[in-house]
Amino acid sequence: MTNDTQAVLLIAPVVDDLITRLSAAYTVYRLYDQQEDPDDFLQRVGDRVQVVVTRGDIGVTRAVLDALPRVGLIAIFGVGTDAVDLPYARSRDIAVTITSGVLTQGVADLAMGLLLAGARQLCLGDRFVREGRWLNSTLPLATQVSGKRIGILGMGNIGQAIARRASGFDMQILYHDRNPNPQLDYQWCSSLHALARESDFLVIAASGSAENRRLINANVFEVMPAHAWLINIARGSLIDEAALIQALQNKTIAGAALDVYEDEPNVPAALMALDNVVLQPHVASATRETRQNMSNVVFANVEAYFSRRPLPNQII
């Protein structure tokens, strides 16, 4: 039965199961589904809302939070917090939770899938067969993955999961993070440039933040080996997209495999025109299993908040 005194504001669509569970237990307002002016809508219902549920790629603006005087929790469907003003949330004693621990395997799977798809020309090979070109020509030679050097930027849970998968391909694993992790038997590089210089495949698994914006830029591409591939399953804001396009066009690097972009869902035509690029529509966590687990975590945090229990996945 819906509780009319406990209200949730849903900023953006999430999976149906989570919406159904939230709607059965609480009053749910869908900001993304309103026909009236959003400001007018928030002025009308804002003082009832105690919990905001949003996606990591969408977040919630400060203006929306200002319209919610009673909000005490932002429950993020995802692990990205770059679209949420965390200092402001902290100043208002608004708790923030993420779906930590449940995206790791799916995102790491896709990272390795992108790496293999790029190096082994899987998308090109598929088109080659479908278009009938195999009848009178051969596909150019691909790049071997086994035994190569993989550099991982960001050695958190996802970075470590990628490293474990790469070890199954007998890859030499290098990484850069703020500090070396003494529990990891991988080679730590003291800088991003040192990592890029030594990597056959550079995988971006760092968090998106203002300080990391366009961290991967022309200077990084210049020190990467000409045969190297860039793989990004983190945030599009980490890469200077214009510099990447130029590096790909000029063959400064061999290729890129991307799940995220600077201005999603708008992907530059120049990227789509290149054969040495593999593109995915931000689907690293888009498996049935992962999304169900994410739904469970979000609901558990919302339920804990309204029950005044400790929040299972609180970050502030």
Side-chain angles (χ1 to χ4, degrees), residues 110-134:
L110 187 70
M112 288 304 297
L114 285 172
L115 189 156
L116 289 163
R120 295 307 307 266
Q121 304 178 148
L122 299 186
C123 298
L124 282 176
D126 180 84
R127 292 202 301 271
F128 187 79
V129 173
R130 291 177 188 274
E131 293 169 2
R133 286 183 282 158
W134 193 17

Side-chain angles (χ1 to χ4, degrees), residues 295-307:
S295 296
N296 293 342
V297 170
V298 170
F299 188 82
N301 280 284
V302 173
E303 189 177 46
Y305 176 80
F306 282 125
S307 301

Side-chain angles (χ1 to χ4, degrees), residues 59-68 83-85 87-89 91-92 94:
V60 56
T61 67
R62 183 166 176 166
V64 169
L65 293 176
D66 283 340
L68 309 175
V84 176
D85 188 337
Y88 180 65
S91 73
R92 284 189 51 188
I94 301 172

Side-chain angles (χ1 to χ4, degrees), residues 97-150:
T97 62
I98 59 176
T99 55
S100 51
V102 298
L103 283 80
T104 301
Q105 305 307 325
V107 175
D109 285 352
L110 187 70
M112 288 304 297
L114 285 172
L115 189 156
L116 289 163
R120 295 307 307 266
Q121 304 178 148
L122 299 186
C123 298
L124 282 176
D126 180 84
R127 292 202 301 271
F128 187 79
V129 173
R130 291 177 188 274
E131 293 169 2
R133 286 183 282 158
W134 193 17
L135 298 171
N136 50 33
S137 61
T138 57
L139 199 66
L141 294 177
T143 298
Q144 180 170 307
V145 171
S146 299
K148 295 294 180 63
R149 299 166 300 176
I150 181 173

Side-chain angles (χ1 to χ4, degrees), residues 44-218:
R44 181 166 58 83
V45 306
D47 60 352
R48 306 174 201 169
V49 173
Q50 297 143 70
V51 169
V52 166
V53 172
T54 187
R55 299 202 312 256
D57 59 328
I58 300 295
V60 56
T61 67
R62 183 166 176 166
V64 169
L65 293 176
D66 283 340
L68 309 175
R70 297 178 60 202
V71 69
L73 170 65
I74 301 170
I76 300 175
F77 186 85
V79 295
T81 59
D82 46 307
V84 176
D85 188 337
L86 295 181
Y88 180 65
R90 189 178 289 109
S91 73
R92 284 189 51 188
D93 292 323
I94 301 172
V96 177
T97 62
I98 59 176
T99 55
S100 51
V102 298
L103 283 80
T104 301
Q105 305 307 325
V107 175
D109 285 352
L110 187 70
M112 288 304 297
L114 285 172
L115 189 156
L116 289 163
R120 295 307 307 266
Q121 304 178 148
L122 299 186
C123 298
L124 282 176
D126 180 84
R127 292 202 301 271
F128 187 79
V129 173
R130 291 177 188 274
E131 293 169 2
R133 286 183 282 158
W134 193 17
L135 298 171
N136 50 33
S137 61
T138 57
L139 199 66
L141 294 177
T143 298
Q144 180 170 307
V145 171
S146 299
K148 295 294 180 63
R149 299 166 300 176
I150 181 173
I152 302 173
L153 177 63
M155 193 51 89
N157 290 335
I158 292 173
Q160 291 179 43
I162 294 169
R164 290 193 297 271
R165 285 156 175 75
S167 67
F169 285 83
D170 297 322
M171 300 184 82
Q172 180 184 346
I173 299 163
L174 306 88
Y175 73 99
H176 172 67
D177 217 324
R178 287 186 176 87
N179 299 294
N181 186 335
Q183 297 181 334
L184 298 178
D185 189 24
Y186 309 134
Q187 180 180 333
W188 179 70
C189 296
S190 60
S191 70
L192 168 58
H193 280 205
L195 179 72
R197 190 178 296 112
E198 298 298 324
S199 299
D200 300 310
F201 300 94
L202 180 60
V203 181
I204 313 305
S207 60
S209 65
E211 63 179 321
N212 284 347
R213 181 170 176 77
R214 295 185 176 174
L215 186 65
I216 313 300
N217 51 39

Side-chain angles (χ1 to χ4, degrees), residues 21-42:
R21 294 171 72 185
L22 289 171
S23 299
Y26 314 108
T27 298
V28 174
Y29 300 110
R30 306 185 194 191
L31 183 61
Y32 63 92
D33 207 24
Q34 296 305 312
Q35 300 301 313
E36 65 181 294
D37 180 82
D39 292 335
D40 293 341
F41 172 72
L42 290 172

